[in-house]
Amino acid sequence: MSGKSALDYLDRLMSKRQNNKEKYKKYDEKTQEKYRQHWSLYNPYLEPYKGETSKQCYQCKKSKILSRFYKRLSSYDGLAAECKDCAVKHRKKLVLELKARIVKAYGGRCACPKCPETNISFLTIDHVNNDGHVKRKNGLYFYYTIVKESFPDKYRIMCWNCNCGRAQNNGICPHESVEM
């Protein structure tokens, strides 16, 4: 399938889906019910939570009320296996690991030649062309994008003071504008 024909196929598929919303909605509901039946039949360690008000977290092993779990349609009970608290901890850990990898790839210190900052807590990603406002991304998705693009030259590492100072000083770092 060439690129053009693949795009045409996707366009046809999406328009077909838009035209038959009710049909596909019923199909999605049936698929979700299949997932639930599958998990309740073939997973001996987990039982369906019909009428239950709590569930055990996969990570911390604590029993928590159902509202402490994120929704996950592909799960047998429609809820994530880990509670919100554990999910947040896991996400923060991923963000820190990716940030450390990115900081290391970009040199491990602030890009300003007069700034000696190397503490990862103070370092942030700066858009070299000052175009960060065009397509605002932050956190985990932003870090994944940088790693996926193999650390492009359009970003650099700066400490928070230099980055904010550049924004307030027409793109010039305060360290560079100060005469000593």
Side-chain angles (χ1 to χ4, degrees):
M1 220 182 237
S2 69
K4 186 176 180 184
S5 63
L7 287 175
D8 290 341
Y9 170 75
L10 287 174
D11 287 340
R12 285 194 312 269
L13 183 67
M14 291 308 293
S15 65
K16 183 179 176 184
R17 189 175 178 104
Q18 288 297 325
N19 294 337
N20 298 316
K21 277 187 178 180
E22 286 302 313
K23 178 182 172 186
Y24 281 99
K25 185 177 178 184
K26 290 177 185 175
Y27 173 78
D28 290 343
E29 289 170 359
K30 287 180 184 177
T31 305
Q32 186 177 351
E33 187 56 36
K34 273 187 179 179
Y35 272 120
R36 287 194 176 131
Q37 288 174 357
H38 169 78
W39 282 107
S40 63
L41 291 174
Y42 299 108
N43 196 338
Y45 302 106
L46 303 170
E47 296 178 15
Y49 285 92
K50 294 180 180 173
E52 293 287 328
T53 57
S54 65
K55 176 179 175 176
Q56 185 177 3
C57 174
Y58 175 76
Q59 292 292 329
C60 65
K61 307 292 187 216
K62 294 180 183 174
S63 183
K64 298 187 177 184
I65 60 173
L66 297 180
S67 64
R68 297 301 308 148
F69 292 86
Y70 288 114
K71 292 181 181 178
R72 183 163 298 143
L73 295 179
S74 61
S75 175
Y76 72 98
D77 62 353
L79 299 172
E82 59 186 8
C83 66
K84 290 180 180 180
D85 298 331
C86 292
V88 167
K89 285 179 191 174
H90 181 73
R91 185 178 176 88
K92 283 183 181 180
K93 182 181 171 190
L94 283 177
V95 167
L96 287 175
E97 288 173 2
L98 279 174
K99 184 177 180 182
R101 185 174 171 189
I102 291 168
V103 167
K104 185 178 177 185
Y106 281 110
R109 63 178 299 274
C110 182
C112 176
K114 295 183 180 180
C115 180
E117 191 60 61
T118 58
N119 186 339
I120 195 168
S121 299
F122 298 120
L123 298 176
T124 185
I125 297 168
D126 177 49
H127 294 77
V128 174
N129 300 325
N130 295 329
D131 59 353
H133 65 283
V134 174
K135 194 172 185 182
R136 182 68 62 197
K137 298 180 203 170
N138 55 24
L140 190 59
Y141 179 72
F142 181 50
Y143 294 153
Y144 272 134
T145 304
I146 292 174
V147 172
K148 187 178 178 183
E149 293 176 357
S150 300
F151 311 103
D153 293 335
K154 62 184 178 181
Y155 304 114
R156 65 181 168 191
I157 299 298
M158 294 196 91
C159 73
W160 188 249
N161 287 337
C162 292
N163 196 2
C164 292
R166 280 184 68 235
Q168 298 296 320
N169 201 16
N170 297 324
I172 300 170
C173 179
H175 290 119
E176 296 171 7
S177 65
V178 174
E179 287 125 23
M180 299 211 177

